Amino acid sequence: MLDFIYYPVSGILWVWHKVFGAIPFLGPDSGITWALSVVFLVFTLRAVLYKPFVKQVRTTRQMQELQPQIKALQKKYSGDRQRQATEMQKLQKEHGFNPIMGCLPVLAQAPVFIGLFHVLRSFNRTGTGIGQLGMSVEANANTPNYFFSVEDVQSFLSARLFGAPISAWITMPKAQLDAFAAYGPIPTVLNIAVVAVPLMIIASIATHFNSRASVGRQSPEAAANPQSAIMNKLALWVFPLGVLVGGPFLPIAILLYWVSNNIWTYGQQHIVFRKIDEEEEEKKQAAIARRADNAPKPGARPDLTKKKKKAATETDGSDADNETEIVEGIVEGDISDQPNGDGSASKPKPGARPQSNRGKSPKRKRR
């Protein structure tokens, strides 16, 4: 049903097995060859997902920057869920924010994890139960496994990593362990634990430190969010503990997958974070430089040319209006402008209206 996942995963694993198997001092039947094939399967996947990972980091930072606006919208439209969702989509569209990109790397890794688990388990199909075929040892050794031929299956069964097959796990039933008898000594639980337990511890510690690095990059506002606080605790403590608890039920190859994936993540996120920090610092310095260019130099007067032109434009109209009023007043012959007999100008009494000579003919002096 999931052959569209199993075949690509087994194909990449097959390619790396051929590459490392061609090295003279390793060979195709070496446990180190198969272990390196698993590790470089992980590296191949993570290299393909590098750009989506960068997008995920940018999306996470953008989400933190939009938190105040998101909270404001949630508060404003707390009683209208439909309007709240509409405004949230509008805000995300304006800022080019896509929540799917924040989950893409994790979603892409999940099928690979499932596919690798199935392909590794399919090298030994002697078990019974859910998803097991219950094959005999002979039938299992002579049945191809997706991209792997019968010779590849037998090579895998004969491979040992410090005495343990990489498809074995600590709690593996004895009937399945017996399937390795025709291609080497039957591994014991101690052989498997000697390899699996250190890998479990390394995977758990690496998961914790990767989570700590991610949590340390969160803004104070995002860290104060109750949902974020719960997820941070899960990532810091519950997930690493889950590796220790679930480790005895996982094949050694899956533990190798987990360790190599965390090692890649640890290095990649430090490189990406440093790159994004440098880009933001460059933008900040560019903005400071633009402000410095626009500001007046020390000791120089600010350029008032534009202000003077604007002031002249505003005052021209008001001066013209004042001159017009003065001319009209003179033409109309306002009494306040006419001199008295003693040469002084007559002033209206307090509360009295100014009188005008409009419409009156001037009196002639008698001779």
Side-chain angles (χ1 to χ4, degrees):
M1 185 175 66
L2 296 177
D3 287 350
F4 68 95
I5 295 175
Y6 302 148
Y7 272 101
V9 170
S10 63
I12 297 172
L13 187 63
W14 179 85
V15 169
W16 284 115
H17 176 257
K18 295 302 178 184
V19 170
F20 290 109
I23 299 176
F25 62 87
L26 290 177
D29 298 337
S30 171
I32 296 177
T33 297
W34 284 101
L36 289 174
S37 302
V38 174
V39 171
F40 276 81
L41 166 67
V42 177
F43 292 169
T44 302
L45 170 69
R46 296 307 303 271
V48 172
L49 293 176
Y50 176 77
K51 288 188 176 179
F53 178 81
V54 175
K55 185 66 176 179
Q56 177 192 12
V57 174
R58 296 186 188 278
T59 300
T60 303
R61 289 203 170 188
Q62 193 175 18
M63 184 69 178
Q64 294 176 4
E65 293 173 358
L66 293 177
Q67 276 298 318
Q69 300 181 51
I70 291 173
K71 288 182 179 180
L73 288 176
Q74 291 174 343
K75 184 177 180 181
K76 184 176 181 180
Y77 302 106
S78 58
D80 190 349
R81 295 291 182 181
Q82 185 175 359
R83 181 66 184 278
Q84 184 182 124
T86 303
E87 293 297 326
M88 289 281 288
Q89 291 176 357
K90 184 179 178 182
L91 178 66
Q92 293 172 0
K93 187 176 180 181
E94 288 176 354
H95 291 82
F97 176 73
N98 188 0
I100 302 289
M101 294 304 299
C103 307
L104 182 60
V106 177
L107 295 175
Q109 290 182 64
V112 176
F113 182 87
I114 296 170
L116 180 61
F117 183 84
H118 178 78
V119 170
L120 291 173
R121 191 173 64 169
S122 296
F123 279 107
N124 190 344
R125 292 150 287 192
T126 58
T128 57
I130 299 174
Q132 296 289 334
L133 299 179
M135 289 184 177
S136 64
V137 175
E138 294 77 12
N140 176 69
N142 291 280
T143 303
N145 181 22
Y146 296 100
F147 264 91
F148 294 97
S149 64
V150 172
E151 291 76 13
D152 294 329
V153 172
Q154 295 174 2
S155 171
F156 185 88
L157 292 172
S158 63
R160 299 288 188 271
L161 185 65
F162 303 106
I166 65 171
S167 65
W169 57 93
I170 295 176
T171 57
M172 194 173 196
K174 187 177 183 303
Q176 288 182 264
L177 291 175
D178 292 340
F180 297 99
Y183 303 96
I186 298 175
T188 63
V189 174
L190 180 61
N191 294 139
I192 300 170
V194 167
V195 180
V197 171
L199 291 174
M200 290 161 50
I201 295 173
I202 295 171
S204 180
I205 294 174
T207 302
H208 172 77
F209 277 102
N210 279 332
S211 301
R212 176 179 287 185
S214 299
V215 171
R217 291 281 177 173
Q218 292 181 352
S219 63
E221 295 80 8
N225 190 333
Q227 295 179 351
S228 298
I230 293 173
M231 290 303 300
N232 291 342
K233 290 181 180 179
L234 290 174
L236 285 171
W237 307 109
V238 178
F239 294 163
L241 183 62
V243 178
L244 291 176
V245 174
F249 304 92
L250 297 176
I252 291 174
I254 294 295
L255 295 174
L256 284 170
Y257 172 93
W258 202 287
V259 170
S260 55
N261 186 60
N262 277 280
I263 291 174
W264 179 283
T265 301
Y266 189 81
Q268 180 176 265
Q269 70 179 355
H270 279 77
I271 293 172
V272 172
F273 285 146
R274 184 169 65 246
K275 181 180 178 181
I276 292 177
D277 290 340
E278 289 175 356
E279 290 177 357
E280 292 182 353
E281 183 64 24
E282 288 176 2
K283 291 179 181 178
K284 184 178 178 181
Q285 294 298 329
I288 294 173
R290 285 196 299 270
R291 287 197 297 267
D293 291 340
N294 295 332
K297 296 180 179 180
R301 285 187 172 185
D303 187 7
L304 302 178
T305 306
K306 294 183 179 179
K307 293 184 178 180
K308 289 181 179 179
K309 289 182 179 180
K310 183 177 179 181
T313 304
E314 292 176 352
T315 55
D316 284 347
S318 60
D319 291 344
D321 292 341
N322 292 336
E323 290 177 1
T324 304
E325 291 176 359
I326 293 170
V327 171
E328 288 179 352
I330 294 173
V331 171
E332 291 176 356
D334 195 340
I335 292 177
S336 61
D337 295 332
Q338 302 296 326
N340 291 331
D342 57 357
S344 62
S346 61
K347 297 181 179 179
K349 296 179 180 180
R353 286 186 173 182
Q355 296 181 358
S356 175
N357 291 332
R358 183 182 298 174
K360 298 182 180 180
S361 59
K363 295 181 180 181
R364 296 182 179 179
K365 294 183 180 180
R366 294 181 180 178
R367 291 182 181 178

